[in-house]
Amino acid sequence: MNDLEEIVYKHALLNAAKHKGSANPGAVIGSIMSQEPDLRSKAKEIGPMAGKIVAKVNSLSLDEQKEEMEKFNLEVKTQKQVKEVGLQELPGTHENIVLRFAPNPSGPLHIGHTRAAVPNAEYVKRHDGKLILRIEDTDPKRVFEPAYEMIPEDLEWLGIHPDEIVYQSDRFEIYYDYARHLIEKGAAYMCTCDGATFKELKDDCKACPCRSNSVNENLELWEKFDTMEAGEAVLRLKTDIQHKNPAIRDWVAMRLVDEKHPRLGNKYRIYPMMNFSVALDDHLMGMTHVLRGKDHLANSEKQKYLYNHMGWDVPEFIHYGRLKMEDITLSTSKALAGIEEGIYSGWDDPRLGTLRAVARRGINPKAIYDLITEIGVKMADSAISWKKIYGLNRNLLEPIANRYFFVENPILVNVNGYEAGSVVIERPLHADYLDRGNRLLTFDGSAYLAFNDLNDGVVRLMDAVNAEVSGNKLTYHSATFEDARDIKAKIIQWVPSNENVNVKIVMDDASLKRGLGEIALRDLKVGDIVQFERIGFARLDEIKDDELIFYFAHK
């Protein structure tokens, strides 16, 4: 049973369980089309398949159907059942598990990468297994050299610590040994057909002439492979030339690449294709489970052919849906192009979805880790939003972020009629944690106010005085908070006229807010996270000359 048949089979079992053991083909197809949107393009293939599989399911007794349901960990959900949240248990063995996170080094990690990194790390943590970081750099055109260092750094920030780091570019001789071995077994052959000719034959389920070459003929071509012109030949793995999916028929295992590799230079010209190197490494590194996106369903089936040729056990393949996020650039290539064009300031530009960007803004890695763990590993696509991330992050920042005043576009004003002299006002650094102490703000009748707060009417300078605003002029009104409450005065922030610090806040859209903050901000160090009352949470990114530069997180 291939992966697609297995999906149909599971839906048929679920449908049968809802209808006393009798599944309906139309209902099964409808269930697949609604719950597996990526399979809608295969409707013509699924239709006939569903009829045969439903007949098979309906031929089983109720007890047999129940056994099959248990085999695939299927459960019929009722309206009263709570939606499944979190990582479901791993199928197969839980002892000595080995998993891998295998990114391409095309750039630093972004939020989309956490869809694979977090579940792998969490399963390993739960079962005391082994996690391998495998850098898949067998396509020199897609290698961004700084990513070799950036990826481990990003994982470190996320709280993920691989037990081993492997670079596929170090393993070419291994790939060559197995390529030769497969040729000797008659499981692979050198193909010198041009691409168009092979495609035409393949689409007609016909073998190309090269497929019948002898082992010796293939070995001779293999030995002189790296002297050929790029595109003159490829190494193909034998599969089923009649396979219903043309992409799986005799897929390419090795090809020639004339491109300088950042780590290898021009040492090699024969490069493995992804399915070849990945399948070999997953076996040789002892993977017990392979987590990958459902867009790799066909690749999983391709790789099973290599396992079968070698007589190896196939690991547990677990496929999950796409992670969708709106209003954010997750494409590494688009981000790099934007950086090169000067649109973005770098990989940590606040408009990007890289882990470096969210870290710079003060997003706690636990918020990302917990969110991805909550989503779990399931075939259905998942959508996340900044609102969800901010909600989780707010819960983490609220207890640790001290509060401070900030006024944007400040205007120095004098409160006419104020006669109480200079007073020192104490405000807690955090109202819920009074043991942290207070900030001291001096009010002497003058202060900086935000330009937008200068609207006619009575305002209360928080914890100081009440004043009537007329244009840019303030006149003393009264002193107490009770007076302000009775007249419903707007409460505004202020910064002392003689003790303050220049502040710049880089917002999430890369726009800037400039103004003044209270002098207590001078006690912060880079990396500290604060809450500017009325603005939101922000992380101190840099202290430059007489200015504190913050990056805005969220409200």
Side-chain angles (χ1 to χ4, degrees):
M1 187 184 301
N2 61 39
D3 291 310
L4 183 59
E5 290 170 337
E6 184 176 306
I7 292 171
V8 177
Y9 188 60
K10 289 177 180 179
H11 280 268
L13 286 170
L14 287 168
N15 187 254
K18 294 176 183 177
H19 299 91
K20 299 180 180 180
S22 179
N24 178 279
V28 171
I29 294 171
S31 174
I32 295 170
M33 293 300 104
S34 64
Q35 297 183 40
E36 316 283 354
D38 282 4
L39 297 180
R40 290 171 185 165
S41 61
K42 299 186 182 233
K44 292 183 179 179
E45 185 178 341
I46 291 172
M49 185 186 299
K52 294 178 183 178
I53 290 177
V54 165
K56 176 182 176 181
V57 169
N58 289 345
S59 69
L60 302 175
S61 67
L62 291 178
D63 287 340
E64 289 172 329
Q65 289 181 359
K66 184 178 179 181
E67 289 177 3
E68 289 294 289
M69 293 272 288
E70 292 174 351
K71 175 182 173 182
F72 289 103
N73 294 319
L74 299 176
E75 184 179 358
V76 178
K77 293 183 179 180
T78 65
Q79 290 183 342
K80 294 182 180 180
Q81 285 179 309
V82 178
K83 181 181 178 182
E84 182 183 9
V85 174
L87 291 179
Q88 71 267 35
E89 193 48 274
L90 280 174
T93 182
H94 293 163
E95 295 182 5
N96 301 316
I97 67 169
V98 182
L99 289 86
R100 45 75 164 178
F101 173 54
N104 179 282
S106 56
L109 301 183
H110 54 64
I111 291 176
H113 287 110
T114 64
R115 184 73 165 103
V118 169
N120 277 291
E122 183 63 19
Y123 280 129
V124 164
K125 185 190 302 182
R126 292 182 184 184
H127 297 293
D128 193 24
K130 178 180 181 180
L131 178 65
I132 295 175
L133 168 60
R134 190 171 70 212
I135 305 296
E136 299 193 341
D137 56 348
T138 58
D139 184 352
K141 296 178 182 178
R142 298 182 60 199
V143 174
F144 177 67
E145 192 168 0
Y148 285 113
E149 294 186 6
M150 300 171 90
I151 289 172
E153 291 171 353
D154 292 340
L155 289 178
E156 180 74 21
W157 175 80
L158 200 56
I160 295 175
H161 311 286
D163 298 290
E164 183 181 356
I165 301 179
V166 176
Y167 302 89
Q168 285 195 319
S169 54
D170 290 338
R171 300 173 61 80
F172 273 50
E173 297 299 333
I174 296 173
Y175 304 142
Y176 292 172
D177 287 344
Y178 277 93
R180 183 181 183 89
H181 183 58
L182 286 162
I183 292 172
E184 291 171 344
K185 286 174 64 74
Y189 64 95
M190 294 296 298
C191 177
T192 55
C193 298
D194 67 80
T197 300
F198 182 84
K199 183 179 185 308
E200 185 177 344
L201 290 168
K202 177 186 71 171
D203 290 347
D204 290 336
C205 297
K206 295 178 181 178
C208 79
C210 306
R211 203 175 199 264
S212 59
N213 285 348
S214 69
V215 169
N216 286 335
E217 288 174 318
N218 284 314
L219 286 174
E220 287 179 11
L221 286 171
W222 171 255
E223 292 301 330
K224 60 181 181 181
F225 192 13
D226 65 354
T227 66
M228 298 181 185
E229 295 291 328
E232 188 177 344
V234 295
L235 177 70
R236 293 189 180 277
L237 190 83
K238 288 184 179 179
T239 63
D240 178 3
I241 205 66
Q242 301 290 323
H243 196 285
K244 58 193 173 187
N245 184 350
I248 293 174
R249 300 170 192 161
D250 286 15
W251 48 269
V252 175
M254 307 282 271
R255 85 290 199 196
L256 292 171
V257 174
D258 287 320
E259 188 86 17
K260 186 175 181 179
H261 192 285
R263 294 185 78 235
L264 302 173
N266 296 313
K267 182 177 180 180
Y268 299 107
R269 292 187 67 234
I270 304 172
Y271 276 73
M273 295 294 285
M274 182 273 289
N275 280 302
F276 188 68
S277 59
V278 163
L280 283 174
D281 284 344
D282 282 346
H283 171 76
L284 297 174
M285 295 176 189
M287 300 301 159
T288 56
H289 302 76
V290 174
L291 278 62
R292 52 171 51 135
K294 63 184 178 183
D295 53 319
H296 285 284
L297 278 167
N299 288 330
S300 295
E301 190 166 352
K302 285 182 179 181
Q303 292 167 25
K304 287 177 182 177
Y305 279 94
L306 193 151
Y307 277 88
N308 292 334
H309 283 312
M310 298 300 299
W312 294 338
D313 291 334
V314 179
E316 295 279 358
F317 287 127
I318 303 166
H319 299 92
Y320 50 77
R322 291 187 177 91
L323 187 67
K324 300 177 180 178
M325 190 171 185
E326 298 179 355
D327 302 325
I328 190 170
T329 299
L330 290 180
S331 166
T332 303
S333 58
K334 290 182 180 178
L336 179 58
I339 292 170
E340 292 174 342
E341 293 171 15
I343 298 173
Y344 303 123
S345 60
W347 290 107
D348 53 5
D349 187 289
R351 292 166 290 182
L352 297 177
T354 60
L355 298 187
R356 290 164 183 265
V358 298
R360 193 175 194 185
R361 292 173 53 194
I363 305 296
N364 192 303
K366 192 175 187 302
I368 304 295
Y369 194 101
D370 289 352
L371 174 60
I372 300 301
T373 303
E374 178 184 320
I375 290 172
V377 177
K378 53 192 176 185
M379 284 286 281
D381 292 345
S382 300
I384 62 174
S385 64
W386 280 120
K387 181 178 179 182
K388 178 68 173 178
I389 293 174
Y390 294 163
L392 291 170
N393 198 56
R394 189 177 296 109
N395 293 335
L396 298 170
L397 297 188
E398 278 282 2
I400 65 172
N402 291 333
R403 278 50 169 169
Y404 297 92
F405 286 169
F406 165 78
V407 293
E408 185 181 8
N409 297 327
I411 300 291
L412 180 62
V413 299
N414 292 302
V415 180
N416 296 320
Y418 174 77
E419 299 177 348
S422 180
V423 295
V424 176
I425 296 169
E426 295 187 10
R427 283 190 59 80
L429 285 165
H430 197 301
D432 295 332
Y433 301 91
L434 299 180
D435 58 328
R436 294 184 192 172
N438 298 317
R439 309 117 62 193
L440 305 179
L441 297 95
T442 302
F443 182 74
D444 59 3
S446 63
Y448 282 101
L449 306 184
F451 175 78
N452 289 338
D453 284 336
L454 293 175
N455 299 312
D456 291 354
V458 179
V459 298
R460 176 167 181 76
L461 277 62
M462 192 176 292
D463 287 352
V465 298
N466 307 319
E468 188 163 351
V469 179
S470 178
N472 288 352
K473 295 182 179 180
L474 272 70
T475 304
Y476 179 79
H477 181 280
S478 53
T480 68
F481 172 74
E482 288 72 22
D483 291 336
R485 182 181 58 195
D486 291 343
I487 60 176
K488 298 180 179 180
K490 179 182 177 182
I491 299 176
I492 64 174
Q493 295 181 36
W494 55 280
V495 171
S497 59
N498 60 340
E499 294 180 330
N500 52 64
V501 60
N502 293 315
V503 170
K504 179 172 73 175
I505 304 175
V506 182
M507 301 302 290
D508 51 347
D509 62 358
S511 63
L512 301 178
K513 288 184 180 295
R514 281 191 164 91
L516 293 174
E518 56 184 271
I519 196 66
L521 290 167
R522 283 286 189 193
D523 296 331
L524 299 177
K525 60 182 182 298
V526 171
D528 285 345
I529 296 174
V530 304
Q531 183 180 29
F532 288 121
E533 300 181 37
R534 294 177 56 195
I535 298 291
F537 296 100
R539 175 188 164 275
L540 179 57
D541 185 75
E542 184 181 2
I543 301 173
K544 187 175 182 180
D545 299 327
D546 63 343
E547 185 176 54
L548 303 183
I549 302 171
F550 291 84
Y551 270 66
F552 175 73
H554 51 78
K555 289 187 175 294

